[in-house]
Amino acid sequence: MKLKKVLSVIIVTVMLLNLSGCSLNFFSTETLLKPPALSGKSGEVQEAFNKLMSGKTFLLKTPTKGDFKSSFVLYNIDNDEDEEAIVFYTDSSTDTTVRIAVLDYVNRKWILVTDIKGSGSGVYDIAFPDLDGDKLPEIVISWSLFDTKLTKMLTVYKVSQLTNKSFNIETLANEYFNAKAFLDLNSNDVNDLVIVYLDDAAAVQNSYFRAFSIQNNGSIVKFCEILLDSTITSVSAIHSDEINLKNNSYSRVFLDCIKSDTSMFTEVISWDVETLKVKREILEPSKNTLRNVKLHSRDIDSDGKIEIPVNTKFFTGKKAVSVSVSGTVYNFSMVEWKNVADDKTSEVFKSVYNPIHSYLFDFPWTEDVTVNFDKIENQTNFCIWNTDTNEVEDILFLIKFIENNDKLMRDFDDYDDYILSETETGVFIYEITPYGENFGITDEFVKSSFIKV
């Protein structure tokens, strides 16, 4: 009888929990005090940190981007013989802002050097550039903010050595930003902090390019600022190169900007060695470099200068070849790669872009060759285009992607001499037809013209 009563109580309790929406998972990942134990030096840091936080309710935080995706970041920030440890966490007894605990390894023990309150609800990334040339890295932490996904905050921390072989950490700057990079903008052999900030507080967005450097007195200053195109919605990539002009070398910064879901363009910012100011190399970049392919600027011809991809027409008169694969429509595009100088662009060469397999192919022909895609064979065909009949004729050569689970992989040895590129999921091979051989297509040409992106 007692057993029946106990069972009845259990059943009623479970029913009430289900009706109230409660969960029996009492140990969710957001409330665990101790993460899974780490090994090695990270494990020692974790043990020391747990002791420091004894009695407190804390939650470790992990950077979401960058090279360091751990709550415990080990890095030699003071150029001694040992790495220091940076720990990201939140203390629910105070607030949800991320905090930074810095630990040093002294006399075979981890001791707390400083505990700093950060500037966000999460850690986006952490980097260690040398921004003043003193051979000691600065600590630059990017924070995810509470109320926005696009705009972030970064903090620059200065590490200074003290006379007793310890070190001090000082906050130099806090800046809102959307994209950042570390590069030598003003050609003084020291990296600068460059950022893009999209200020949408007004009716029309103001897009800023800004650069910061650390001065001899240890302070950080903004040494240049310029307005960018107002239609930037985000920055996809930042690259830089260096060119010579009037016996002076100066840096150029290429900002690959997203305009919409289907278009992007490139802003080019350079350092003027005569005026000691920055300038825009292209005054209307959203018009002159607009493209509907998600391709970044790059040194496409290995000449040391970055080129910009811009859409152009296929020689068949078509703007693109549309292919539907698994419900997604892909557009094969012809792309011109252009050099930039003084608001002018000059073509380097053309390439066709395969968006399904993400590769480029140098396209030197004027009007007698085109491409099509064979979905069944998973291959791109380079074909003769008859300008009189406006029809595709003989295949000259083809580029095929063979997936790892494809039955053709059993005969992979037969393709060893025709491999263009290998990936984690498969391999690219090529085949030249007899028509292609008569046309002058060679193995060297195909291999040298293929560029994986």
Side-chain angles (χ1 to χ4, degrees), residues 43 96 193 305 347 358 381 409:
T96 57
L193 166 65
K305 298 178 183 178
E347 178 192 329
S358 297
N381 298 321
M409 287 298 287

Side-chain angles (χ1 to χ4, degrees), residues 28-29 31-39 42-43 45-47 49-50 53 58-62 70-72 87-89:
S28 68
T29 56
T31 57
L32 284 172
L33 299 186
K34 293 184 179 180
L38 301 174
S39 60
S42 295
V45 175
Q46 182 185 34
E47 183 179 356
F49 182 73
N50 288 341
M53 300 299 290
F58 69 93
L59 179 65
L60 294 173
K61 307 294 285 188
T62 303
S70 171
S71 303
F72 299 90
V87 185
F88 297 110
Y89 74 99

Side-chain angles (χ1 to χ4, degrees), residues 126-263:
I126 179 172
F128 300 93
D130 181 5
L131 299 176
D132 56 6
D134 66 350
K135 309 304 180 183
L136 284 177
E138 276 61 61
I139 305 172
V140 180
I141 301 176
S142 301
W143 309 99
S144 302
L145 301 180
F146 295 91
D147 54 354
T148 177
K149 291 183 178 180
L150 291 178
T151 302
K152 297 175 281 293
M153 170 79 77
L154 65 80
T155 306
V156 180
Y157 299 98
K158 172 65 180 173
V159 181
S160 302
Q161 289 179 318
L162 302 178
T163 54
N164 59 357
K165 296 185 179 181
S166 63
F167 59 90
N168 180 56
I169 296 178
E170 176 189 1
T171 301
L172 292 188
N174 287 289
E175 287 290 331
Y176 289 109
F177 78 103
N178 298 87
K180 72 175 186 303
F182 309 105
L183 52 93
D184 183 11
L185 177 64
N186 53 10
S187 300
N188 65 349
D189 297 325
V190 178
N191 275 339
D192 306 303
L193 166 65
V194 299
I195 68 171
V196 176
Y197 174 50
L198 310 178
D199 185 359
D200 57 0
V204 177
Q205 175 180 285
N206 287 318
S207 306
Y208 295 99
F209 174 89
R210 293 167 175 164
F212 300 81
S213 66
I214 297 179
Q215 306 299 293
N216 292 333
N217 61 6
S219 65
I220 191 168
V221 299
K222 178 176 66 178
F223 68 89
C224 68
E225 176 180 279
I226 195 170
L227 276 171
L228 304 174
D229 193 285
S230 63
T231 64
I232 300 173
T233 60
S234 64
V235 176
S236 180
I238 301 177
H239 308 284
S240 66
D241 66 7
E242 189 171 283
I243 63 174
N244 293 307
L245 183 65
K246 298 179 181 178
N247 296 323
N248 288 308
S249 62
Y250 67 95
S251 299
R252 299 187 301 179
V253 183
F254 292 73
L255 310 173
D256 291 323
C257 306
I258 303 296
K259 185 174 184 178
S260 69
D261 291 338
T262 59
S263 64

Side-chain angles (χ1 to χ4, degrees), residues 185-186 209 223-226 250-251 269-281:
L185 177 64
N186 53 10
F209 174 89
F223 68 89
C224 68
E225 176 180 279
I226 195 170
Y250 67 95
S251 299
I269 308 299
S270 66
W271 178 255
D272 191 321
V273 294
E274 294 181 347
T275 64
L276 300 183
K277 296 179 180 179
V278 290
K279 65 176 181 179
R280 297 170 74 196
E281 291 283 356

